[in-house]
Amino acid sequence: DNGSSGGDGGRRFVGQLGDALWQHSGRTVAAQCCYLLAEVGVGNLSDSNARIVLLGGNHKQLIRYAHDDAIRATELLEVAKREVNSQFTLTPLIAYKYVYAERLADVGFVEMARQYCLELQKCLKDLPQLPPQPQLSTPQQREQYELSLLRRRLTQLVDVLLHRLNDFIGDGGGGGSSGASSWFPLPGRGMLSKIGGALWGGDRDATPATTTTTTTT
């Protein structure tokens, strides 16, 4: 019974098992399976206590933790959650979706990247807007302020990327993997490194697989 003290104790035990697998054996995927069974949520990289940031990625090892499979696996978790709550959004995943869209554009999958950007625009509209005079006296207010900053920065990046993708498609670039990355003008490199270097780690240049994504059109 999830509402009983026994259920709470069981989840706590399974979560502790995940901690042991992760910290002492380095078995990230097995640990994350335990965390999911213990109903541990996906957290932000900035939270030192986060147990899951991306499924399949060990965020304690920043180099290569934000690989494509990890982003897609976490998207599948979001899709599964939406089967229960159609309004559910994994807010920590939004920035990684932008990274994946940029990777797709980087190797020439322009139409797929464009669909990601359109989906991202919808997600970003649901985040709080930056208030003119933010109040930061409580943890909840600080969290809302950080979300509003994320919304503003990612909105700028997504808009620029989408504009250039549309220009590329309009010029006859198409949506295949024809090696367009050799001249496709990717946006926001400097800004991206400033706001995202510590957020999604050092694997931004990995080539994405071209299997079906979970993004809806």
Side-chain angles (χ1 to χ4, degrees):
D1 181 2
N2 287 341
S4 67
S5 59
D8 292 339
R11 287 192 294 273
R12 184 165 54 252
F13 174 80
V14 173
Q16 291 171 347
L17 175 61
D19 291 339
L21 287 167
W22 185 23
Q23 297 170 11
H24 302 302
S25 302
R27 299 174 63 183
T28 303
V29 174
Q32 290 179 346
C33 288
C34 291
Y35 295 149
L36 291 177
L37 289 172
E39 300 181 9
V40 173
V42 174
N44 290 299
L45 187 62
S46 58
D47 181 2
S48 60
N49 294 319
R51 288 158 138 177
I52 302 174
V53 173
L54 289 174
L55 290 178
N58 185 355
H59 58 279
K60 298 299 183 182
Q61 300 174 354
L62 290 181
I63 301 302
R64 301 189 65 82
Y65 90 94
H67 53 81
D68 299 325
D69 286 344
I71 296 174
R72 287 196 298 267
T74 314
E75 278 193 279
L76 287 173
L77 175 63
E78 183 180 57
V79 170
K81 295 283 189 178
R82 284 180 180 170
E83 291 296 315
V84 178
N85 177 7
S86 61
Q87 303 302 313
F88 180 84
T89 297
L90 277 176
T91 303
L93 183 61
I94 294 176
Y96 296 98
K97 288 182 178 180
Y98 170 79
V99 173
Y100 190 69
E102 192 185 48
R103 289 175 180 171
L104 287 169
D106 208 1
V107 294
F109 292 96
V110 178
E111 182 57 33
M112 291 175 67
R114 179 176 173 275
Q115 293 301 322
Y116 260 86
C117 287
L118 294 174
E119 184 70 18
L120 278 169
Q121 285 183 328
K122 298 177 184 177
C123 294
L124 289 168
K125 288 179 180 178
D126 294 333
L127 295 183
Q129 296 192 34
L130 190 65
Q133 295 182 330
Q135 302 294 322
L136 305 177
S137 57
T138 68
Q140 184 177 9
Q141 289 174 338
R142 289 193 291 272
E143 180 182 1
Q144 291 296 303
Y145 178 68
E146 291 173 359
L147 286 175
S148 65
L149 285 178
L150 176 69
R151 181 184 193 269
R152 184 177 69 178
R153 292 168 179 172
L154 278 179
T155 296
Q156 293 171 344
L157 290 170
V158 170
D159 287 349
V160 171
L161 179 56
L162 183 58
H163 175 73
R164 295 190 176 183
L165 289 168
N166 287 332
D167 284 350
F168 181 74
I169 293 173
D171 289 338
S177 56
S178 57
S181 61
S182 61
W183 60 273
F184 184 81
L186 287 174
R189 294 287 190 179
M191 185 177 184
L192 186 62
S193 63
K194 289 179 182 178
I195 72 168
L199 179 61
W200 45 68
D203 190 37
R204 290 184 54 257
D205 295 326
T207 301
T210 58
T211 53
T212 303
T213 69
T214 59
T215 304
T216 56
T217 58

